[in-house]
Structures are given as C-alpha cells and as structure tokens.
Short mmCIF file of all heavy atoms in Angstrom, two decimals:
data_model
loop_
_atom_site.label_atom_id
_atom_site.label_comp_id
_atom_site.label_asym_id
_atom_site.label_seq_id
_atom_site.Cartn_x
_atom_site.Cartn_y
_atom_site.Cartn_z
N GLU A 227 -3.44 42.77 -65.82
CA GLU A 227 -2.58 42.38 -64.70
C GLU A 227 -3.09 43.03 -63.42
O GLU A 227 -3.56 44.15 -63.41
CB GLU A 227 -1.14 42.84 -64.96
CG GLU A 227 -0.14 42.13 -64.10
CD GLU A 227 1.26 42.71 -64.25
OE1 GLU A 227 1.47 43.54 -65.14
OE2 GLU A 227 2.12 42.34 -63.45
N LYS A 228 -2.95 42.31 -62.34
CA LYS A 228 -3.50 42.79 -61.07
C LYS A 228 -2.60 42.32 -59.94
O LYS A 228 -2.15 41.20 -59.91
CB LYS A 228 -4.91 42.25 -60.90
CG LYS A 228 -5.72 42.94 -59.86
CD LYS A 228 -7.22 42.75 -60.07
CE LYS A 228 -7.67 41.32 -59.83
NZ LYS A 228 -9.15 41.20 -59.93
N GLU A 229 -2.34 43.25 -59.02
CA GLU A 229 -1.55 42.92 -57.84
C GLU A 229 -2.40 43.17 -56.60
O GLU A 229 -3.31 44.00 -56.62
CB GLU A 229 -0.31 43.84 -57.75
CG GLU A 229 0.76 43.58 -58.78
CD GLU A 229 1.69 42.43 -58.38
OE1 GLU A 229 1.75 42.09 -57.18
OE2 GLU A 229 2.34 41.89 -59.29
N THR A 230 -2.08 42.47 -55.53
CA THR A 230 -2.73 42.76 -54.25
C THR A 230 -1.69 43.23 -53.26
O THR A 230 -0.70 42.53 -53.01
CB THR A 230 -3.45 41.52 -53.70
OG1 THR A 230 -4.41 41.08 -54.65
CG2 THR A 230 -4.17 41.85 -52.40
N ALA A 231 -1.91 44.42 -52.71
CA ALA A 231 -1.02 44.95 -51.69
C ALA A 231 -1.64 44.71 -50.32
O ALA A 231 -2.81 45.03 -50.09
CB ALA A 231 -0.80 46.45 -51.90
N GLU A 232 -0.86 44.10 -49.45
CA GLU A 232 -1.30 43.90 -48.06
C GLU A 232 -0.61 44.95 -47.21
O GLU A 232 0.62 44.98 -47.14
CB GLU A 232 -0.89 42.50 -47.58
CG GLU A 232 -1.37 41.36 -48.46
CD GLU A 232 -2.79 40.92 -48.15
OE1 GLU A 232 -3.37 41.45 -47.18
OE2 GLU A 232 -3.31 40.05 -48.87
N LEU A 233 -1.40 45.79 -46.58
CA LEU A 233 -0.83 46.91 -45.84
C LEU A 233 -1.14 46.84 -44.35
O LEU A 233 -2.20 46.34 -43.96
CB LEU A 233 -1.40 48.24 -46.38
CG LEU A 233 -1.24 48.52 -47.87
CD1 LEU A 233 -2.06 49.76 -48.23
CD2 LEU A 233 0.22 48.73 -48.22
N ASP A 234 -0.24 47.35 -43.55
CA ASP A 234 -0.56 47.69 -42.17
C ASP A 234 -0.92 49.15 -42.16
O ASP A 234 -0.20 49.98 -42.75
CB ASP A 234 0.65 47.45 -41.25
CG ASP A 234 0.91 45.97 -41.01
OD1 ASP A 234 -0.09 45.23 -40.85
OD2 ASP A 234 2.07 45.56 -40.99
N ILE A 235 -2.01 49.50 -41.51
CA ILE A 235 -2.45 50.89 -41.44
C ILE A 235 -2.57 51.29 -39.98
O ILE A 235 -3.32 50.66 -39.22
CB ILE A 235 -3.80 51.10 -42.16
CG1 ILE A 235 -3.68 50.66 -43.63
CG2 ILE A 235 -4.24 52.55 -42.07
CD1 ILE A 235 -5.00 50.69 -44.40
N LEU A 236 -1.84 52.31 -39.60
CA LEU A 236 -1.80 52.73 -38.19
C LEU A 236 -2.49 54.07 -38.00
O LEU A 236 -2.44 54.94 -38.88
CB LEU A 236 -0.34 52.84 -37.73
CG LEU A 236 0.47 51.54 -37.85
CD1 LEU A 236 1.90 51.78 -37.39
CD2 LEU A 236 -0.17 50.43 -37.05
N GLY A 237 -3.14 54.25 -36.87
CA GLY A 237 -3.72 55.53 -36.51
C GLY A 237 -5.23 55.60 -36.65
O GLY A 237 -5.82 56.64 -36.36
N MET A 238 -5.87 54.50 -37.04
CA MET A 238 -7.33 54.49 -37.14
C MET A 238 -7.92 54.27 -35.75
O MET A 238 -7.54 53.33 -35.06
CB MET A 238 -7.81 53.36 -38.07
CG MET A 238 -7.26 53.44 -39.48
SD MET A 238 -7.99 52.17 -40.54
CE MET A 238 -7.26 50.67 -39.89
N THR A 239 -8.86 55.16 -35.36
CA THR A 239 -9.42 55.01 -34.02
C THR A 239 -10.92 54.78 -34.01
O THR A 239 -11.48 54.41 -32.98
CB THR A 239 -9.09 56.24 -33.15
OG1 THR A 239 -9.48 57.41 -33.86
CG2 THR A 239 -7.59 56.32 -32.88
N CYS A 240 -11.60 54.97 -35.12
CA CYS A 240 -13.03 54.64 -35.14
C CYS A 240 -13.41 54.12 -36.52
O CYS A 240 -12.64 54.22 -37.46
CB CYS A 240 -13.90 55.83 -34.72
SG CYS A 240 -14.28 56.99 -36.04
N ALA A 241 -14.62 53.58 -36.60
CA ALA A 241 -15.05 52.92 -37.85
C ALA A 241 -15.12 53.89 -39.01
O ALA A 241 -14.99 53.49 -40.17
CB ALA A 241 -16.39 52.23 -37.64
N ALA A 242 -15.33 55.18 -38.71
CA ALA A 242 -15.37 56.16 -39.80
C ALA A 242 -14.00 56.31 -40.45
O ALA A 242 -13.91 56.64 -41.63
CB ALA A 242 -15.89 57.50 -39.29
N CYS A 243 -12.96 56.09 -39.67
CA CYS A 243 -11.60 56.17 -40.23
C CYS A 243 -11.42 55.12 -41.33
O CYS A 243 -10.98 55.44 -42.44
CB CYS A 243 -10.55 55.89 -39.17
SG CYS A 243 -10.38 57.11 -37.86
N SER A 244 -11.74 53.89 -41.04
CA SER A 244 -11.52 52.83 -42.03
C SER A 244 -12.43 53.00 -43.24
O SER A 244 -12.02 52.78 -44.38
CB SER A 244 -11.72 51.45 -41.39
OG SER A 244 -12.90 51.42 -40.63
N THR A 245 -13.66 53.45 -43.00
CA THR A 245 -14.58 53.71 -44.11
C THR A 245 -14.05 54.82 -45.01
O THR A 245 -14.11 54.73 -46.23
CB THR A 245 -15.97 54.10 -43.57
OG1 THR A 245 -16.44 53.03 -42.75
CG2 THR A 245 -16.95 54.35 -44.69
N ARG A 246 -13.51 55.84 -44.36
CA ARG A 246 -12.98 56.99 -45.11
C ARG A 246 -11.80 56.56 -46.00
O ARG A 246 -11.74 56.92 -47.18
CB ARG A 246 -12.51 58.05 -44.10
CG ARG A 246 -12.01 59.33 -44.70
CD ARG A 246 -12.15 60.45 -43.70
NE ARG A 246 -11.08 60.43 -42.72
CZ ARG A 246 -10.06 61.31 -42.73
NH1 ARG A 246 -10.00 62.23 -43.68
NH2 ARG A 246 -9.15 61.26 -41.82
N ILE A 247 -10.88 55.80 -45.43
CA ILE A 247 -9.73 55.34 -46.21
C ILE A 247 -10.20 54.47 -47.37
O ILE A 247 -9.73 54.63 -48.51
CB ILE A 247 -8.74 54.57 -45.31
CG1 ILE A 247 -8.17 55.49 -44.23
CG2 ILE A 247 -7.61 53.95 -46.15
CD1 ILE A 247 -7.38 54.75 -43.15
N GLU A 248 -11.12 53.57 -47.09
CA GLU A 248 -11.65 52.68 -48.13
C GLU A 248 -12.25 53.46 -49.30
O GLU A 248 -11.97 53.16 -50.46
CB GLU A 248 -12.76 51.82 -47.53
CG GLU A 248 -12.40 50.36 -47.42
CD GLU A 248 -13.52 49.58 -46.74
OE1 GLU A 248 -14.71 49.93 -46.89
OE2 GLU A 248 -13.17 48.62 -46.05
N LYS A 249 -13.05 54.45 -48.97
CA LYS A 249 -13.71 55.24 -50.03
C LYS A 249 -12.68 55.95 -50.89
O LYS A 249 -12.80 55.97 -52.12
CB LYS A 249 -14.67 56.25 -49.41
CG LYS A 249 -15.99 55.65 -49.02
CD LYS A 249 -16.95 56.72 -48.51
CE LYS A 249 -18.28 56.08 -48.11
NZ LYS A 249 -19.10 56.99 -47.29
N VAL A 250 -11.70 56.56 -50.25
CA VAL A 250 -10.68 57.30 -50.99
C VAL A 250 -9.87 56.35 -51.88
O VAL A 250 -9.63 56.65 -53.06
CB VAL A 250 -9.76 58.07 -50.01
CG1 VAL A 250 -8.53 58.59 -50.72
CG2 VAL A 250 -10.53 59.23 -49.38
N LEU A 251 -9.48 55.23 -51.35
CA LEU A 251 -8.68 54.29 -52.14
C LEU A 251 -9.48 53.74 -53.31
O LEU A 251 -8.96 53.60 -54.42
CB LEU A 251 -8.17 53.13 -51.26
CG LEU A 251 -7.18 53.50 -50.15
CD1 LEU A 251 -6.74 52.24 -49.41
CD2 LEU A 251 -5.99 54.27 -50.67
N ASN A 252 -10.76 53.45 -53.07
CA ASN A 252 -11.58 52.89 -54.15
C ASN A 252 -11.83 53.88 -55.28
O ASN A 252 -12.23 53.48 -56.38
CB ASN A 252 -12.91 52.37 -53.58
CG ASN A 252 -12.77 50.96 -53.03
OD1 ASN A 252 -12.32 50.06 -53.73
ND2 ASN A 252 -13.14 50.77 -51.78
N LYS A 253 -11.59 55.16 -55.02
CA LYS A 253 -11.76 56.17 -56.08
C LYS A 253 -10.48 56.40 -56.86
O LYS A 253 -10.49 57.10 -57.89
CB LYS A 253 -12.20 57.50 -55.46
CG LYS A 253 -13.68 57.57 -55.16
CD LYS A 253 -14.05 59.00 -54.76
CE LYS A 253 -15.28 59.01 -53.88
NZ LYS A 253 -15.38 60.28 -53.13
N MET A 254 -9.37 55.86 -56.39
CA MET A 254 -8.10 56.10 -57.08
C MET A 254 -8.06 55.37 -58.42
O MET A 254 -8.50 54.22 -58.50
CB MET A 254 -6.90 55.62 -56.23
CG MET A 254 -6.60 56.47 -55.02
SD MET A 254 -5.18 55.84 -54.10
CE MET A 254 -3.82 56.57 -55.04
N ASP A 255 -7.53 56.05 -59.42
CA ASP A 255 -7.30 55.42 -60.71
C ASP A 255 -6.35 54.23 -60.53
O ASP A 255 -5.28 54.39 -59.95
CB ASP A 255 -6.63 56.42 -61.66
CG ASP A 255 -7.62 57.01 -62.64
OD1 ASP A 255 -8.83 56.68 -62.52
OD2 ASP A 255 -7.19 57.77 -63.51
N GLY A 256 -6.75 53.09 -61.01
CA GLY A 256 -5.88 51.92 -60.92
C GLY A 256 -6.21 51.01 -59.76
O GLY A 256 -5.69 49.90 -59.68
N VAL A 257 -7.08 51.46 -58.85
CA VAL A 257 -7.51 50.59 -57.76
C VAL A 257 -8.76 49.83 -58.19
O VAL A 257 -9.74 50.41 -58.63
CB VAL A 257 -7.78 51.38 -56.46
CG1 VAL A 257 -8.50 50.51 -55.43
CG2 VAL A 257 -6.49 51.93 -55.89
N GLU A 258 -8.70 48.52 -58.07
CA GLU A 258 -9.83 47.67 -58.43
C GLU A 258 -10.76 47.48 -57.23
O GLU A 258 -11.97 47.53 -57.36
CB GLU A 258 -9.33 46.29 -58.85
CG GLU A 258 -8.37 46.30 -60.02
CD GLU A 258 -9.10 46.18 -61.34
OE1 GLU A 258 -9.82 45.19 -61.51
OE2 GLU A 258 -8.94 47.07 -62.19
N GLN A 259 -10.14 47.21 -56.08
CA GLN A 259 -10.94 46.94 -54.88
C GLN A 259 -10.08 47.16 -53.65
O GLN A 259 -9.01 46.57 -53.55
CB GLN A 259 -11.45 45.49 -54.91
CG GLN A 259 -12.16 45.05 -53.65
CD GLN A 259 -13.46 45.81 -53.42
OE1 GLN A 259 -14.20 46.10 -54.36
NE2 GLN A 259 -13.74 46.17 -52.17
N ALA A 260 -10.56 48.00 -52.76
CA ALA A 260 -9.83 48.22 -51.51
C ALA A 260 -10.73 47.92 -50.33
O ALA A 260 -11.91 48.28 -50.32
CB ALA A 260 -9.36 49.68 -51.43
N SER A 261 -10.20 47.21 -49.35
CA SER A 261 -10.94 47.02 -48.10
C SER A 261 -10.00 47.23 -46.93
O SER A 261 -8.83 46.86 -46.97
CB SER A 261 -11.60 45.64 -48.06
OG SER A 261 -10.63 44.64 -48.15
N VAL A 262 -10.53 47.86 -45.90
CA VAL A 262 -9.73 48.22 -44.73
C VAL A 262 -10.38 47.61 -43.50
O VAL A 262 -11.59 47.70 -43.31
CB VAL A 262 -9.64 49.76 -44.59
CG1 VAL A 262 -8.89 50.13 -43.32
CG2 VAL A 262 -8.96 50.37 -45.81
N ASN A 263 -9.55 46.96 -42.69
CA ASN A 263 -10.03 46.32 -41.48
C ASN A 263 -9.54 47.08 -40.26
O ASN A 263 -8.34 47.08 -39.95
CB ASN A 263 -9.54 44.86 -41.46
CG ASN A 263 -10.13 44.08 -40.31
OD1 ASN A 263 -10.05 44.49 -39.16
ND2 ASN A 263 -10.73 42.95 -40.63
N LEU A 264 -10.48 47.72 -39.58
CA LEU A 264 -10.15 48.55 -38.42
C LEU A 264 -9.54 47.72 -37.30
O LEU A 264 -8.50 48.07 -36.73
CB LEU A 264 -11.43 49.25 -37.93
CG LEU A 264 -11.35 50.02 -36.62
CD1 LEU A 264 -10.45 51.23 -36.75
CD2 LEU A 264 -12.74 50.42 -36.15
N ALA A 265 -10.17 46.61 -36.97
CA ALA A 265 -9.73 45.79 -35.83
C ALA A 265 -8.33 45.24 -36.03
O ALA A 265 -7.52 45.21 -35.10
CB ALA A 265 -10.72 44.66 -35.59
N ASN A 266 -8.05 44.82 -37.24
CA ASN A 266 -6.73 44.24 -37.53
C ASN A 266 -5.68 45.27 -37.92
O ASN A 266 -4.51 44.94 -38.08
CB ASN A 266 -6.83 43.21 -38.68
CG ASN A 266 -7.67 42.02 -38.29
OD1 ASN A 266 -7.80 41.71 -37.11
ND2 ASN A 266 -8.25 41.36 -39.28
N GLU A 267 -6.15 46.52 -38.13
CA GLU A 267 -5.27 47.59 -38.61
C GLU A 267 -4.56 47.19 -39.92
O GLU A 267 -3.35 47.38 -40.08
CB GLU A 267 -4.23 47.98 -37.54
CG GLU A 267 -4.89 48.51 -36.27
CD GLU A 267 -3.87 49.04 -35.27
OE1 GLU A 267 -3.16 48.21 -34.68
OE2 GLU A 267 -3.79 50.27 -35.09
N THR A 268 -5.35 46.65 -40.82
CA THR A 268 -4.80 46.22 -42.11
C THR A 268 -5.66 46.73 -43.26
O THR A 268 -6.82 47.10 -43.07
CB THR A 268 -4.73 44.68 -42.21
OG1 THR A 268 -6.04 44.15 -42.04
CG2 THR A 268 -3.78 44.09 -41.19
N GLY A 269 -5.08 46.69 -44.43
CA GLY A 269 -5.82 47.00 -45.64
C GLY A 269 -5.37 46.07 -46.75
O GLY A 269 -4.22 45.63 -46.79
N GLN A 270 -6.32 45.75 -47.63
CA GLN A 270 -6.02 44.92 -48.79
C GLN A 270 -6.47 45.68 -50.01
O GLN A 270 -7.63 46.07 -50.13
CB GLN A 270 -6.75 43.58 -48.66
CG GLN A 270 -6.39 42.59 -49.74
CD GLN A 270 -6.96 41.21 -49.43
OE1 GLN A 270 -6.85 40.73 -48.31
NE2 GLN A 270 -7.58 40.58 -50.41
N VAL A 271 -5.53 45.89 -50.93
CA VAL A 271 -5.83 46.72 -52.10
C VAL A 271 -5.43 45.97 -53.37
O VAL A 271 -4.25 45.65 -53.58
CB VAL A 271 -5.07 48.06 -52.06
CG1 VAL A 271 -5.51 48.95 -53.22
CG2 VAL A 271 -5.31 48.78 -50.73
N GLU A 272 -6.44 45.67 -54.18
CA GLU A 272 -6.17 45.11 -55.51
C GLU A 272 -6.01 46.28 -56.47
O GLU A 272 -6.88 47.14 -56.55
CB GLU A 272 -7.33 44.22 -55.97
CG GLU A 272 -7.45 42.93 -55.20
CD GLU A 272 -8.66 42.12 -55.65
OE1 GLU A 272 -9.21 42.42 -56.73
OE2 GLU A 272 -9.05 41.21 -54.91
N TYR A 273 -4.90 46.29 -57.19
CA TYR A 273 -4.64 47.44 -58.06
C TYR A 273 -3.93 46.97 -59.33
O TYR A 273 -3.44 45.83 -59.42
CB TYR A 273 -3.78 48.48 -57.32
CG TYR A 273 -2.37 48.04 -57.02
CD1 TYR A 273 -1.31 48.51 -57.79
CD2 TYR A 273 -2.10 47.15 -56.00
CE1 TYR A 273 -0.01 48.12 -57.53
CE2 TYR A 273 -0.80 46.75 -55.72
CZ TYR A 273 0.24 47.24 -56.49
OH TYR A 273 1.52 46.83 -56.25
N ARG A 274 -3.89 47.89 -60.29
CA ARG A 274 -3.23 47.61 -61.57
C ARG A 274 -1.87 48.27 -61.57
O ARG A 274 -1.77 49.50 -61.62
CB ARG A 274 -4.08 48.11 -62.73
CG ARG A 274 -5.45 47.45 -62.78
CD ARG A 274 -6.09 47.52 -64.15
NE ARG A 274 -7.23 46.62 -64.20
CZ ARG A 274 -7.17 45.34 -64.60
NH1 ARG A 274 -6.03 44.83 -65.01
NH2 ARG A 274 -8.25 44.59 -64.61
N PRO A 275 -0.82 47.46 -61.55
CA PRO A 275 0.54 48.00 -61.44
C PRO A 275 0.93 48.93 -62.58
O PRO A 275 1.78 49.80 -62.41
CB PRO A 275 1.43 46.75 -61.44
CG PRO A 275 0.53 45.62 -61.12
CD PRO A 275 -0.84 46.00 -61.57
N GLY A 276 0.30 48.79 -63.73
CA GLY A 276 0.61 49.68 -64.84
C GLY A 276 0.12 51.10 -64.61
O GLY A 276 0.63 52.05 -65.20
N LEU A 277 -0.89 51.23 -63.77
CA LEU A 277 -1.51 52.53 -63.53
C LEU A 277 -1.10 53.17 -62.22
O LEU A 277 -1.20 54.38 -62.04
CB LEU A 277 -3.04 52.38 -63.54
CG LEU A 277 -3.70 51.95 -64.84
CD1 LEU A 277 -5.18 51.76 -64.63
CD2 LEU A 277 -3.45 52.99 -65.92
N LEU A 278 -0.66 52.35 -61.29
CA LEU A 278 -0.48 52.81 -59.93
C LEU A 278 0.63 52.01 -59.27
O LEU A 278 0.78 50.81 -59.53
CB LEU A 278 -1.80 52.56 -59.19
CG LEU A 278 -2.10 53.24 -57.88
CD1 LEU A 278 -2.05 54.74 -58.02
CD2 LEU A 278 -3.46 52.79 -57.38
N GLU A 279 1.39 52.68 -58.43
CA GLU A 279 2.40 51.96 -57.65
C GLU A 279 1.98 51.94 -56.18
O GLU A 279 1.27 52.82 -55.72
CB GLU A 279 3.77 52.63 -57.80
CG GLU A 279 4.35 52.43 -59.19
CD GLU A 279 5.69 53.10 -59.35
OE1 GLU A 279 6.32 53.43 -58.33
OE2 GLU A 279 6.09 53.31 -60.50
N VAL A 280 2.43 50.95 -55.48
CA VAL A 280 2.01 50.79 -54.09
C VAL A 280 2.43 51.99 -53.24
O VAL A 280 1.72 52.38 -52.30
CB VAL A 280 2.51 49.45 -53.50
CG1 VAL A 280 4.02 49.43 -53.34
CG2 VAL A 280 1.82 49.15 -52.19
N GLU A 281 3.53 52.63 -53.63
CA GLU A 281 3.99 53.83 -52.91
C GLU A 281 2.95 54.95 -52.99
O GLU A 281 2.83 55.76 -52.07
CB GLU A 281 5.33 54.32 -53.48
CG GLU A 281 6.53 53.46 -53.12
CD GLU A 281 6.61 52.14 -53.91
OE1 GLU A 281 5.88 52.01 -54.92
OE2 GLU A 281 7.38 51.27 -53.49
N GLU A 282 2.24 55.01 -54.11
CA GLU A 282 1.23 56.05 -54.28
C GLU A 282 0.02 55.76 -53.38
O GLU A 282 -0.64 56.68 -52.89
CB GLU A 282 0.78 56.14 -55.73
CG GLU A 282 1.88 56.58 -56.68
CD GLU A 282 1.41 56.54 -58.14
OE1 GLU A 282 0.79 57.52 -58.58
OE2 GLU A 282 1.64 55.51 -58.81
N ILE A 283 -0.28 54.50 -53.21
CA ILE A 283 -1.38 54.10 -52.32
C ILE A 283 -1.02 54.48 -50.88
O ILE A 283 -1.83 55.08 -50.16
CB ILE A 283 -1.64 52.59 -52.43
CG1 ILE A 283 -2.10 52.23 -53.86
CG2 ILE A 283 -2.67 52.13 -51.40
CD1 ILE A 283 -2.13 50.74 -54.15
N ILE A 284 0.20 54.17 -50.50
CA ILE A 284 0.66 54.50 -49.15
C ILE A 284 0.67 56.02 -48.94
O ILE A 284 0.21 56.52 -47.91
CB ILE A 284 2.05 53.89 -48.91
CG1 ILE A 284 1.93 52.37 -48.78
CG2 ILE A 284 2.72 54.50 -47.67
CD1 ILE A 284 3.24 51.62 -48.70
N ALA A 285 1.15 56.74 -49.93
CA ALA A 285 1.21 58.21 -49.82
C ALA A 285 -0.19 58.80 -49.67
O ALA A 285 -0.39 59.78 -48.93
CB ALA A 285 1.91 58.80 -51.03
N ARG A 286 -1.16 58.20 -50.34
CA ARG A 286 -2.54 58.71 -50.27
C ARG A 286 -3.12 58.49 -48.87
O ARG A 286 -3.84 59.33 -48.34
CB ARG A 286 -3.41 58.00 -51.33
CG ARG A 286 -4.78 58.62 -51.53
CD ARG A 286 -4.66 60.03 -52.06
NE ARG A 286 -5.94 60.73 -52.07
CZ ARG A 286 -6.42 61.40 -51.02
NH1 ARG A 286 -5.74 61.46 -49.90
NH2 ARG A 286 -7.59 62.01 -51.10
N ILE A 287 -2.80 57.36 -48.28
CA ILE A 287 -3.26 57.07 -46.91
C ILE A 287 -2.60 58.04 -45.93
O ILE A 287 -3.26 58.57 -45.03
CB ILE A 287 -2.94 55.61 -46.53
CG1 ILE A 287 -3.74 54.64 -47.42
CG2 ILE A 287 -3.23 55.35 -45.05
CD1 ILE A 287 -3.31 53.18 -47.30
N GLN A 288 -1.32 58.29 -46.15
CA GLN A 288 -0.60 59.21 -45.26
C GLN A 288 -1.14 60.63 -45.37
O GLN A 288 -1.21 61.36 -44.39
CB GLN A 288 0.90 59.16 -45.56
CG GLN A 288 1.51 57.83 -45.11
CD GLN A 288 2.96 57.66 -45.55
OE1 GLN A 288 3.41 58.28 -46.53
NE2 GLN A 288 3.68 56.79 -44.86
N LYS A 289 -1.56 60.99 -46.57
CA LYS A 289 -2.14 62.31 -46.78
C LYS A 289 -3.43 62.49 -45.97
O LYS A 289 -3.80 63.59 -45.59
CB LYS A 289 -2.40 62.52 -48.28
CG LYS A 289 -2.68 63.94 -48.69
CD LYS A 289 -2.84 64.04 -50.20
CE LYS A 289 -3.48 65.37 -50.61
NZ LYS A 289 -3.87 65.36 -52.03
N LEU A 290 -4.12 61.39 -45.71
CA LEU A 290 -5.34 61.43 -44.88
C LEU A 290 -5.02 61.50 -43.40
O LEU A 290 -5.92 61.66 -42.58
CB LEU A 290 -6.19 60.19 -45.17
CG LEU A 290 -6.89 60.12 -46.51
CD1 LEU A 290 -7.54 58.75 -46.69
CD2 LEU A 290 -7.95 61.22 -46.63
N GLY A 291 -3.76 61.32 -43.04
CA GLY A 291 -3.37 61.45 -41.66
C GLY A 291 -3.08 60.15 -40.93
O GLY A 291 -2.94 60.14 -39.71
N TYR A 292 -3.00 59.06 -41.69
CA TYR A 292 -2.68 57.77 -41.09
C TYR A 292 -1.30 57.33 -41.58
O TYR A 292 -0.77 57.90 -42.53
CB TYR A 292 -3.74 56.73 -41.47
CG TYR A 292 -5.14 57.21 -41.20
CD1 TYR A 292 -5.86 57.82 -42.22
CD2 TYR A 292 -5.70 57.10 -39.94
CE1 TYR A 292 -7.15 58.31 -41.97
CE2 TYR A 292 -6.97 57.57 -39.68
CZ TYR A 292 -7.69 58.19 -40.71
OH TYR A 292 -8.95 58.67 -40.44
N ASP A 293 -0.77 56.33 -40.93
CA ASP A 293 0.47 55.79 -41.46
C ASP A 293 0.19 54.42 -42.06
O ASP A 293 -0.72 53.72 -41.63
CB ASP A 293 1.54 55.70 -40.37
CG ASP A 293 2.94 55.67 -41.00
OD1 ASP A 293 3.07 55.93 -42.21
OD2 ASP A 293 3.89 55.38 -40.28
N ALA A 294 0.96 54.08 -43.07
CA ALA A 294 0.77 52.80 -43.74
C ALA A 294 2.11 52.27 -44.19
O ALA A 294 3.02 53.02 -44.52
CB ALA A 294 -0.16 52.96 -44.94
N GLU A 295 2.21 50.95 -44.14
CA GLU A 295 3.41 50.32 -44.70
C GLU A 295 3.04 48.95 -45.25
O GLU A 295 2.03 48.35 -44.86
CB GLU A 295 4.51 50.22 -43.65
CG GLU A 295 4.13 49.40 -42.43
CD GLU A 295 5.24 49.37 -41.39
OE1 GLU A 295 6.02 50.34 -41.31
OE2 GLU A 295 5.31 48.38 -40.66
N LEU A 296 3.85 48.50 -46.16
CA LEU A 296 3.67 47.19 -46.75
C LEU A 296 3.90 46.13 -45.69
O LEU A 296 4.84 46.23 -44.89
CB LEU A 296 4.66 47.01 -47.90
CG LEU A 296 4.27 46.23 -49.14
CD1 LEU A 296 2.88 46.55 -49.64
CD2 LEU A 296 5.32 46.47 -50.22
N ARG A 297 3.07 45.14 -45.65
CA ARG A 297 3.21 44.06 -44.65
C ARG A 297 4.33 43.11 -45.04
O ARG A 297 4.61 42.91 -46.21
CB ARG A 297 1.95 43.25 -44.52
CG ARG A 297 0.78 44.01 -44.00
CD ARG A 297 -0.38 43.10 -43.79
NE ARG A 297 -0.28 42.40 -42.50
CZ ARG A 297 -1.15 41.50 -42.09
NH1 ARG A 297 -2.13 41.13 -42.88
NH2 ARG A 297 -1.03 40.95 -40.92
N GLY A 298 4.82 42.50 -44.02
CA GLY A 298 5.77 41.40 -44.21
C GLY A 298 7.14 41.89 -44.57
O GLY A 298 7.90 41.23 -45.18
MO1 LIG B 395 -13.43 58.73 -36.11
MO2 LIG B 395 -11.08 58.70 -37.58
O1 LIG B 395 -14.30 60.22 -35.35
O2 LIG B 395 -10.01 60.09 -38.29
S1 LIG B 395 -13.09 59.21 -38.28
S2 LIG B 395 -11.35 59.00 -35.37
#
C-alpha cells in the first residue's frame, strides 16, 4: 500500500534548503520517494502508511526548521 502526501512547505530560501529536506525525507523508513519544489513551496512524498504517518513527515520537516502542512 502506498499513499502520496501533498505538502506545503514554508521557509525555504535557497536551493540547498529543498535538497536538504528531500535527502532527509528520502532516508526516512517508510518513505518511497520524496521530492521538494522550492519555487512552488511544495513537497510530494510517497510513503507506506503502515510504517509512517504523515504527521511524522511533517514533524521531521519542522525539526529541520521549516514549516509544513498538508495541502488542501
Ligand atoms: Mo540556503 Mo536553506 O543557504 O536553510 S540552505 S537558506
């Protein structure tokens, strides 16, 4: 089973920010594929709901110093 979380990510100011978030998310257990778009201030994360909850993804981004919330 696989879910895709569409996130708004706030506080990124340079390309290293989005790369950093992407790398960290892609290393999380349960994340299949994460991509972060600096220009749009969004992120798309494919994850396995049995292993990970979207709140944990958001908390991990916040721990890096950015804010994130579920879109829509
Ligand atoms: Mo760029 Mo982002 O120097 O925390 S990496 S601002």
Side-chain angles (χ1 to χ4, degrees):
E227 198 187 351
K228 196 158 69 175
E229 289 277 340
T230 302
E232 305 276 356
L233 304 171
D234 286 321
I235 302 174
L236 301 179
M238 301 186 290
T239 52
C240 84
C243 293
S244 47
T245 302
R246 183 156 80 105
I247 296 170
E248 248 176 32
K249 280 184 180 165
V250 168
L251 295 182
N252 276 306
K253 279 188 206 161
M254 288 181 83
D255 258 4
V257 168
E258 302 270 303
Q259 174 65 38
S261 60
V262 176
N263 187 307
L264 172 67
N266 295 336
E267 299 186 289
T268 58
Q270 186 170 314
V271 185
E272 290 177 16
Y273 68 103
R274 300 201 167 268
L277 296 176
L278 196 59
E279 289 180 18
V280 69
E281 287 76 14
E282 295 175 85
I283 297 169
I284 289 173
R286 191 64 189 87
I287 295 169
Q288 290 172 337
K289 194 176 165 191
L290 289 173
Y292 309 94
D293 202 12
E295 60 182 29
L296 215 44
R297 295 185 82 183

